[in-house]
Amino acid sequence: MTDSDPTPSPALESPAATRPRKGPLSFLSGSLTAGLLAWLALGLSQRLVAYYALHPPSYGSAIAQSIATALKTLIVGMAFLATFSFAFIALGLGLVFVQSLVSGSGSAPAEADKTA
């Protein structure tokens, strides 16, 4: 019933040991992709602001007016949150790309330090 094989199975090994290291090209493509998504999200955010500025909600009920205003604020806020999230991701990956070029290691800085 018991297995006395001391070798660990491949499924139990750490994922960092089997994963290939990321190179500068991976960081650059990720940064460009995140930058494109930030630019698209900024365009969407600007269009949402313009739409809601031209079409203000006007309801007879105060509760309906309050709900419409809250929903508008939530939608515009989420659009700008996506814009700045993608922009910061693009900035961070761009900085990691530059760091990987300067250090010359050709791998992620966090993964290069994991030798022990």
Side-chain angles (χ1 to χ4, degrees):
M1 289 294 259
T2 60
D3 188 17
S4 62
D5 188 17
T7 59
S9 66
L12 297 178
E13 291 180 9
S14 67
T18 60
R19 228 182 304 153
R21 293 186 175 184
K22 301 276 185 195
L25 189 59
S26 176
F27 301 135
L28 180 64
S29 66
S31 178
L32 292 176
T33 302
L36 175 67
L37 290 173
W39 181 67
L40 291 173
L42 179 63
L44 175 68
S45 300
Q46 290 174 340
R47 288 178 190 224
L48 282 172
V49 168
Y51 176 80
Y52 284 126
L54 294 175
H55 302 93
S58 57
Y59 295 100
S61 171
I63 295 174
Q65 184 75 24
S66 176
I67 292 172
T69 303
L71 189 62
K72 175 187 80 162
T73 303
L74 183 67
I75 291 171
V76 171
M78 287 176 57
F80 276 105
L81 178 66
T83 300
F84 290 113
S85 295
F86 284 126
F88 284 130
I89 290 169
L91 179 66
L93 283 173
L95 291 174
V96 172
F97 168 70
V98 171
Q99 181 183 9
S100 69
L101 288 180
V102 171
S103 69
S105 66
S107 65
E111 291 180 9
D113 293 337
K114 292 183 182 177
T115 56

